[in-house]
Amino acid sequence: MPPSVPPLPRRVARILRTSLFAQVACALVLGILVGKLWPDVATDLQPLGDGFTRLIKTIISPLVFCVVVVGIAKAGDLKAFGRIGLKALIWFEVASTAALIIGLVLANVVQPGSGMHVDPATLNTSAVDAKTGGAALPSTTEFIVNALPTSFIGAFAENSLLQVLILACLVGAALLHLGHTKVPQVLPAIEQAQEIIFAIVGFVMRLAPLAVFGAMAVLVGQYGLGVIKTYAKLIILCYVAAALFVALLAVALRLVTGLSLWKFLRYIREEMLLALGTASTESVMPRVMQKLRKAGARDDAVGLVLPTGYSFNLDGASLYLSIGTLFIAQAVGVDLSLGQQITVVLVLMLTSKGMAGIPGSAFLALSATASSLGAIPAGAVALLLGVDRIMDSMRVVTNLLGNCVAVFAVSRWEGALDIERAKKVLDGEITVVDEDESTGADEITVAEEEAVQEEAVQDEHEEAEIPAQRVKETAPEAS
């Protein structure tokens, strides 16, 4: 006799208990409601999102270090690692330039800032200084020099990914040079440290719904929903541009690897929703690295391409910067010529590379672009203060997908991608699960997963029947 289906409330409770996606989605909705109904209370929830982000940032640098070192040592070929880095930079530059051009073309066609007739003298430029904290984007020379570590511990203490990458490359190269016979215990120790870090990631991710709830409540509580009406044309244009670029990424991924971006989106849906809620790609970086590895990308490719993309492949930021530059020019009544727009692309290609990790970096890049043109008042970037936070979702999704596609493409280009495994994982034939789940395994097939789920349903049903059976056994007999 087949087991009866448990009631709907029990099934919903089980989904909420076991599915991170469901938990984060509920937290997202609750955060919006709290921010809308109790905006004063919502602003006090900032520590929830900030605390989660701080915990994640704590483990990013050691994780990147371990993955890269293990990847180089196991690949056994330092030249291949260098080729991966070179091909990644080529991919990054092509993708970023394509994003800039798409943004400029759409901004010229739609003209989101036309008709606003803003007087730059009326804008509060001090708000931009408060947003950026008085920081400045580094020059190309400063960017290169700052990427070189001054101390081994300092790179980790400052959480500088590029410096950690360089250290990891040096350690991996040293392990290859010395060989496993001279330092037999170093590589196993790093591999064990990597497993410990991934376990910590699993612990921290349990707090993800709280982080999303706090971040969304603060966003809606501080900015409200009225700003969407004021900047509706600009917001819609940016999100349409992002959708167009993501479609372009889907075509590129299909042509290069034969994989489907939409299936990959389903594969990382929990991480994508978390990144949307917290407006941070760093919050999901460890989990995405883990999933890319399990989807067939080699460790050295994942360890090098994904972290480097956080500094060199900001596709969403490139879209926003190009559209934002033309928006403020149109808003203050400045008509940029074709030559000036080409200058915009060239300047943004440079300034966008030094944006990662700098507060208010988008405003700094826009100010630098305006100053280089000499036609747009630098203070006009204050026009975007009210809408910048709403653009975070667009930037986060586009940046994350752009970097993940780069990992697959460069891995395929270098022969470091197991295509058959990737297709099975994305098709759901192999289900990747957390190691601390009840199965005790890294991955299970669909049949095994269905068996586990059927067993869990049966156990729940039996647990529900036990109290009723006990009541029946202990009930006094009728005289």
Side-chain angles (χ1 to χ4, degrees), residues 3 14 35 61 73 114 149 168 234 275 360 383 393:
R14 183 175 182 274
S61 291
S114 61
L234 175 63
L383 280 170
S393 299

Side-chain angles (χ1 to χ4, degrees), residues 20 23-25 27-28 52 204-214 274:
L20 179 63
Q23 294 170 6
V24 173
L28 194 72
F52 177 81
V204 176
M205 288 301 293
R206 296 180 186 274
L207 302 175
L210 286 176
V212 171
F213 170 73
L274 175 58

Side-chain angles (χ1 to χ4, degrees), residues 239 242 271-284 310 315-317 389-403:
Y239 278 86
E271 292 74 22
M272 187 62 67
L273 198 58
L274 175 58
L276 278 170
T278 59
S280 169
T281 52
E282 287 185 339
S283 64
V284 298
Y310 273 59
D315 298 326
R389 181 62 179 82
I390 295 177
M391 296 299 185
D392 278 342
S393 299
M394 179 274 292
R395 292 195 293 251
V396 162
V397 170
T398 313
N399 288 343
L400 182 59
L401 286 179
N403 286 322

Side-chain angles (χ1 to χ4, degrees), residues 106-403:
L106 290 180
N108 276 288
V109 172
V110 179
Q111 296 192 354
S114 61
M116 295 185 69
H117 306 297
V118 175
D119 182 2
T122 63
L123 297 174
N124 182 16
T125 57
S126 62
V128 178
D129 296 332
K131 178 79 173 180
T132 59
L137 288 179
S139 64
T140 304
T141 303
E142 291 173 338
F143 180 72
I144 295 173
V145 172
N146 291 338
L148 303 176
T150 56
S151 71
F152 202 99
I153 303 299
F156 291 89
E158 296 172 4
N159 214 19
S160 176
L161 279 184
L162 290 181
Q163 293 184 9
V164 171
L165 271 175
I166 290 176
L167 289 174
C169 292
L170 292 174
V171 173
L175 285 175
L176 285 179
H177 176 70
L178 293 173
H180 300 308
T181 55
K182 291 187 177 181
V183 283
Q185 298 180 357
V186 174
L187 185 58
I190 295 177
E191 288 183 304
Q192 292 170 18
Q194 178 179 280
E195 294 303 317
I196 292 173
I197 294 169
F198 276 127
I200 295 173
V201 171
F203 298 152
V204 176
M205 288 301 293
R206 296 180 186 274
L207 302 175
L210 286 176
V212 171
F213 170 73
M216 288 307 299
V218 171
L219 171 62
V220 177
Q222 283 185 347
Y223 297 96
L225 301 177
V227 69
I228 297 178
K229 298 179 182 178
T230 306
Y231 291 91
K233 196 173 182 180
L234 175 63
I235 294 171
I236 293 173
L237 176 61
C238 286
Y239 278 86
V240 168
L244 182 60
F245 183 78
V246 169
L248 186 63
L249 286 177
V251 173
L253 182 64
R254 175 71 72 178
L255 292 176
V256 176
T257 66
L259 301 177
S260 168
L261 183 62
W262 317 121
K263 292 180 180 179
F264 178 72
L265 270 171
R266 184 179 61 188
Y267 175 57
I268 62 164
R269 59 186 181 274
E270 294 94 349
E271 292 74 22
M272 187 62 67
L273 198 58
L274 175 58
L276 278 170
T278 59
S280 169
T281 52
E282 287 185 339
S283 64
V284 298
M285 182 179 175
R287 286 266 297 195
V288 171
M289 288 182 70
Q290 190 176 24
K291 284 200 167 183
L292 286 169
R293 291 167 64 238
K294 290 178 183 286
R298 210 167 64 194
D299 284 6
D300 52 347
V302 174
L304 180 61
V305 178
L306 190 66
T308 307
Y310 273 59
S311 293
F312 288 93
N313 192 39
L314 304 174
D315 298 326
S318 298
L319 281 170
Y320 175 62
L321 290 175
S322 57
I323 294 175
T325 301
L326 263 67
F327 169 77
I328 61 177
Q330 294 162 3
V332 298
V334 175
D335 185 18
L336 296 180
S337 65
L338 178 61
Q340 288 174 316
Q341 293 189 31
I342 293 175
T343 304
V344 167
V345 173
L346 296 176
V347 171
L348 290 177
M349 283 172 61
L350 296 175
T351 56
S352 62
K353 299 298 182 289
M355 288 175 55
I358 300 176
S361 55
F363 291 96
L364 292 172
L366 286 170
S367 298
T369 306
S371 300
S372 66
L373 291 174
I376 306 173
V381 298
L383 280 170
L384 295 173
L385 279 171
V387 75
D388 182 69
R389 181 62 179 82
I390 295 177
M391 296 299 185
D392 278 342
S393 299
M394 179 274 292
R395 292 195 293 251
V396 162
V397 170
T398 313
N399 288 343
L400 182 59
L401 286 179
N403 286 322

Side-chain angles (χ1 to χ4, degrees), residues 4-87:
S4 60
V5 179
L8 180 61
R10 186 179 294 274
R11 281 182 290 169
V12 172
R14 183 175 182 274
I15 292 173
L16 288 175
R17 188 175 69 249
T18 59
S19 171
L20 179 63
F21 180 80
Q23 294 170 6
V24 173
C26 289
L28 194 72
V29 174
L30 288 175
I32 294 173
L33 290 175
V34 170
K36 178 65 176 175
L37 298 176
W38 302 286
D40 295 335
V41 176
T43 54
D44 296 330
L45 300 176
Q46 185 75 37
L48 292 178
D50 291 347
F52 177 81
T53 304
R54 289 170 71 94
L55 286 174
I56 288 292
K57 285 184 176 181
T58 302
I59 55 181
I60 285 179
S61 291
L63 175 62
V64 169
F65 178 82
C66 292
V67 170
V68 172
V69 171
V70 171
I72 294 176
K74 286 190 172 181
D77 187 0
L78 194 60
K79 291 182 179 179
F81 196 73
R83 289 197 304 270
I84 290 174
L86 179 60
K87 291 173 181 178

